[in-house]
Amino acid sequence: MAPLLHLPVIEAAERRIRPFLHKTAILTSSYLDGLSGKQLFFKCENLQKTGSFKARGALNAITAAREEGALKGVITQSSGNHGQALAWAAAQAETPCIVVVPNNAPQPKVEAMRGYGAEIVFCEATMKDRVETCDRLAQEKGYRIIDPHNDYDVMAGQGTLGLELLEQVPSLDTVIIAIGGGGLAGGVSRYITEKNPSCKVLCVEPEGKELSKSLDARNRLWDDSKLLTTIADGCRPLRVADKCFGELLDTVSADHVVTVSDEEIAQSMKLIFERMKLVVEPSAAMGLAAVLQTPEILNDSQNVGLILCGGNVDLTNAVKLMYP
């Protein structure tokens, strides 16, 4: 039996969403190449619709759901980027959308969700309350839940980023992916390891996540009730979702996980801003932080793909992070 997420599924997602989304640019920086000793290729999903890669998965999930039949509405829980993406995709499909938002979510992301037409419902900033509130409202409204991570249609949409990356830079020998709930890492790692098994996939995490321990144990060891306290708000979910974790078990080894600190993330944001003239959110700077702080993991690599996964950042806060 074929896996639920594999090349034909991701390629079908790419055909489904292609007319609506940007094929984002690959940018390079000779300064950052010199600093790292590698040739770095930055995939600019900060310039994607809604400002992040999340538009890919949200649009694919809604489009696939509509192909199955009538859709009364959609609902999700999100700290920002997935909520914006789902609200935008729902507007394209003229479908009502509710986003359950933790009360510590960045305000610009909340206002953007409203701007795309979503109804906002606030909850406590724990994954338990987020999920329970979402489930309750979905049952009351009869809406379909589109999970930020734990959904094969969402992961297939995110996997289209890997498809584009290999098309744009066929010579890549390593791709580094920031990991939060696991949807991006699951989709992209699945596509890359099936399409080009010689290309190594690394995951980069904020301090405290300890993905490698769970990969070693082949079991999710995290406490669902906790969130990481990190500036990388897109990576605050401590636990990787179960469907995503299954993909990672097949595609990423425990010794291919890099951990970076908030200080290292902020410094990488600053380098991207000053040298590439791009504004990115902290999660998007984690790949560069991994390259600069753990160069030994790239000893056998030369052409490295980095995903600038989003640019939805409060500029006032970003300046404080980069220039404390």
Side-chain angles (χ1 to χ4, degrees):
M1 181 178 177
L4 292 173
L5 187 66
H6 56 127
L7 285 186
V9 172
I10 296 171
E11 289 164 354
E14 193 276 334
R15 292 190 295 272
R16 188 180 286 125
I17 67 178
R18 180 193 304 152
F20 303 96
L21 293 174
H22 302 309
K23 185 172 185 177
T24 52
I26 300 284
L27 296 184
T28 59
S29 165
S30 58
Y31 178 83
L32 296 178
D33 285 353
L35 202 60
S36 66
K38 307 295 178 183
Q39 190 161 9
L40 306 180
F41 298 89
F42 294 84
K43 178 71 168 161
C44 295
E45 288 294 290
N46 57 312
L47 304 179
Q48 186 54 268
K49 296 284 189 180
T50 76
S52 86
F53 73 93
K54 293 280 190 176
R56 296 173 181 270
L59 184 62
N60 187 56
I62 285 187
T63 307
R66 284 174 62 86
E67 290 173 359
E68 294 172 7
L71 189 64
K72 187 175 182 181
V74 293
I75 184 170
T76 196
Q77 53 82 17
S78 171
S79 62
N81 281 349
H82 177 69
Q84 291 179 68
L86 191 69
W88 171 79
Q92 311 311 302
E94 299 182 345
T95 299
C97 176
I98 297 174
V99 183
V100 176
V101 177
N103 54 22
N104 65 346
Q107 192 60 30
K109 294 186 178 184
V110 176
E111 292 306 317
M113 285 185 268
R114 284 200 180 100
Y116 289 122
E119 176 186 347
I120 306 299
V121 176
F122 287 101
C123 69
E124 294 301 313
T126 66
M127 188 56 64
K128 182 175 183 291
D129 199 48
R130 287 165 63 156
V131 171
E132 288 179 353
T133 303
C134 187
D135 288 347
R136 173 177 57 81
L137 290 172
Q139 187 171 9
E140 290 175 2
K141 296 277 192 177
Y143 284 11
R144 180 168 181 144
I145 296 174
I146 307 292
D147 191 87
H149 324 286
N150 210 33
D151 182 299
Y152 287 113
D153 288 327
V154 169
M155 275 194 282
Q158 319 305 27
T160 65
L161 200 160
L163 183 156
E164 287 184 12
L165 192 51
L166 290 187
E167 283 184 346
Q168 291 169 300
V169 192
S171 61
L172 287 179
D173 45 46
T174 300
V175 172
I176 303 180
I177 313 169
I179 184 160
L184 176 64
V188 173
S189 67
R190 170 60 67 187
Y191 186 85
I192 287 175
T193 54
E194 288 196 11
K195 186 69 175 179
N196 183 4
S198 65
C199 184
K200 180 167 65 177
V201 175
L202 304 179
C203 284
V204 55
E205 64 179 7
E207 289 181 330
K209 196 175 190 75
E210 298 182 334
L211 172 63
S212 59
K213 289 184 178 180
S214 291
L215 290 175
D216 266 335
R218 300 191 66 80
N219 185 33
R220 297 183 305 148
L221 303 177
W222 304 281
D223 181 348
D224 269 341
S225 67
K226 296 180 180 178
L227 290 173
L228 293 171
T229 53
T230 172
I231 63 172
D233 57 279
C235 294
R236 281 180 185 156
L238 183 62
R239 189 172 195 164
V240 172
D242 62 338
K243 294 173 184 174
C244 307
F245 187 69
E247 298 302 321
L248 295 178
L249 284 176
D250 283 348
T251 58
V252 179
S253 63
D255 61 350
H256 286 176
V257 178
V258 180
T259 303
V260 294
S261 69
D262 278 1
E263 183 180 355
E264 291 161 354
I265 295 169
Q267 181 61 27
S268 293
M269 284 179 66
K270 181 179 178 182
L271 283 169
I272 291 167
F273 175 65
E274 292 181 345
R275 296 295 173 170
M276 301 183 71
K277 317 308 177 189
L278 293 173
V279 176
V280 299
E281 56 194 83
S283 301
M286 289 170 59
L288 180 60
V291 169
L292 298 179
Q293 302 304 322
T294 318
E296 62 274 12
I297 205 166
L298 295 173
N299 282 344
D300 58 349
S301 303
Q302 187 56 41
N303 298 324
V304 180
L306 305 175
I307 299 170
L308 299 180
C309 53
N312 294 316
V313 62
D314 182 330
L315 288 177
T316 300
N317 187 51
V319 170
K320 290 178 181 177
L321 292 174
M322 293 187 289
Y323 303 97

